[in-house]
Amino acid sequence: MDAQLAQFFAAWIAQLPQLTINGIAVGSIIALGAVGLTLTYGILRLSNFAHGDFLTLGAYLTLFVNTFGVNIWLSMVLAALGTVGAMLLSEKLLWSRMRSIRATSTTFIIISIGLALFLRNGIIFIWGGGNQKYNVPVSPALDIGGIKVPQVKLLVFVLAVLAILVLHYLLQNTKIGKAMRAVADDIDLARVSGINVDHVVVWTWVIAGSVTSLGGSMLGLSEAVRPNMGWFLILPLFASVILGGIGNPYGAIAAAFIIGIVQEISTPWLGSQYKQGVALLIMILVLLIRPKGLFRGTI
């Protein structure tokens, strides 16, 4: 028994570099979704359980445009515009009205779950429930020091880093970014200081929708496009938001990579079916030990 355990452990150690690469790719996708989720929570105080299904919507809109022979990168851009439009429509029809009547947080959660079901079933009604693929050429994996790195996963990581750098520039060096940080810290103080809160709300949805749609498109690149892809990602998304400090986009990014890597390196021990359980365990431990997260949040 001890010999078998030692053999298994040695094999796991040998797989660690490959598993870590896979975890970084997964973490890149989780990071983009978590950034959008933490922005809407930190600025709008909205726990949006439909966020994962907006990520799915971005993947399917990319698929829809791509089926007409449009380049995959242009398809992603157009899909992001469509996802932003859907988020702004939900803001107009649902969230702004709920805020105007000062609805409770429980009401917001219930509505967001209903919206998630509406989006998912709408996707199934239009595109069906089967797995689908983008029309892109198959690229061979790169061999880097004996580690197999699929070009798609490398591309996912590069695109995620670029998106994060653009987001950093927007938050730190633009007027709207400073206004968003002010609203996240204290919305009432920001309003009396002359900041147009409604303008900030719109920009919050624009940024959240863009990065979330990009995350969905990249998940579709690395895996099959399916109706429940975003719903299965909602637990790692919330775990990243909580671990990184609620409302802190940089904390959410760091936490997403931690969760992505831990999920992947645990696969040989627990099996791929328990990846969600790893994210849940991390979230529970953080809530028990450090409820405010690893980094300073806005709440």
Side-chain angles (χ1 to χ4, degrees):
M1 186 68 181
D2 291 339
Q4 289 180 341
L5 182 60
Q7 187 178 11
F8 176 82
F9 187 75
W12 177 69
I13 292 295
Q15 294 178 46
L16 267 182
Q18 184 69 60
L19 293 172
T20 302
I21 293 295
N22 296 340
I24 290 173
V26 172
S28 301
I29 295 168
I30 296 175
L32 291 173
V35 164
L37 184 60
T38 201
L39 284 177
T40 54
Y41 196 99
I43 295 174
L44 306 178
R45 306 299 189 260
L46 171 62
S47 300
N48 191 3
F49 282 84
H51 195 80
D53 292 283
F54 277 113
L55 184 144
T56 305
L57 179 63
Y60 271 94
L61 289 177
T62 302
L63 176 70
F64 173 72
V65 178
N66 184 235
T67 54
F68 289 99
V70 179
N71 180 278
I72 187 64
W73 312 118
L74 180 57
S75 298
M76 288 183 181
V77 173
L78 295 176
L81 294 176
T83 305
V84 168
M87 283 190 168
L88 290 175
L89 183 62
S90 70
E91 163 66 21
K92 179 69 174 178
L93 297 179
L94 297 174
W95 310 127
S96 62
R97 297 188 180 189
M98 290 300 102
R99 287 197 301 272
S100 66
I101 63 173
R102 297 187 179 277
T104 64
S105 58
T106 304
T107 303
F108 277 101
I109 291 173
I110 293 173
I111 292 175
S112 71
I113 293 174
L115 179 59
L117 294 172
F118 174 80
L119 288 171
R120 199 173 322 133
N121 285 282
I123 287 170
I124 293 173
F125 178 77
I126 296 172
W127 284 284
N131 293 353
Q132 301 189 55
K133 288 280 190 180
Y134 296 141
N135 183 21
V136 293
V138 179
S139 302
L142 301 175
D143 192 334
I144 304 176
I147 303 173
K148 296 294 184 181
V149 182
Q151 291 187 33
V152 170
K153 293 186 183 295
L154 181 61
L155 189 59
V156 163
F157 175 70
V158 171
L159 287 176
V161 170
L162 289 175
I164 291 167
L165 290 175
V166 171
L167 176 67
H168 171 74
Y169 179 81
L170 284 173
L171 292 177
Q172 300 295 332
N173 299 293
T174 65
K175 186 176 180 181
I176 189 62
K178 294 174 183 177
M180 289 173 69
R181 287 188 283 127
V183 171
D185 287 336
D186 192 321
I187 187 171
D188 294 322
L189 180 60
R191 184 175 279 112
V192 299
S193 300
I195 293 175
N196 188 336
V197 174
D198 293 333
H199 189 59
V200 171
V201 168
V202 170
W203 270 101
T204 300
W205 287 116
V206 169
I207 295 173
S210 299
V211 295
T212 301
S213 179
L214 180 61
S217 299
M218 292 195 299
L219 183 59
L221 269 179
S222 57
E223 300 178 6
V225 180
R226 57 190 188 277
N228 56 6
M229 57 193 294
W231 178 249
F232 286 151
L233 209 60
I234 195 68
L235 190 57
L237 292 179
F238 271 101
S240 300
V241 169
I242 293 172
L243 179 62
I246 296 174
N248 186 332
Y250 304 107
I253 292 167
F257 281 106
I258 292 172
I259 289 173
I261 292 172
V262 172
Q263 280 189 165
E264 290 300 316
I265 65 176
S266 68
T267 302
W269 294 89
L270 303 175
S272 59
Q273 67 270 28
Y274 291 108
K275 285 183 181 180
Q276 302 293 318
V278 172
L280 178 62
L281 177 62
I282 293 174
M283 186 168 64
I284 292 173
L285 290 176
V286 171
L287 289 173
L288 290 174
I289 300 171
R290 189 178 173 86
K292 292 183 179 180
L294 299 179
F295 307 92
R296 177 182 174 273
T298 58
I299 299 175

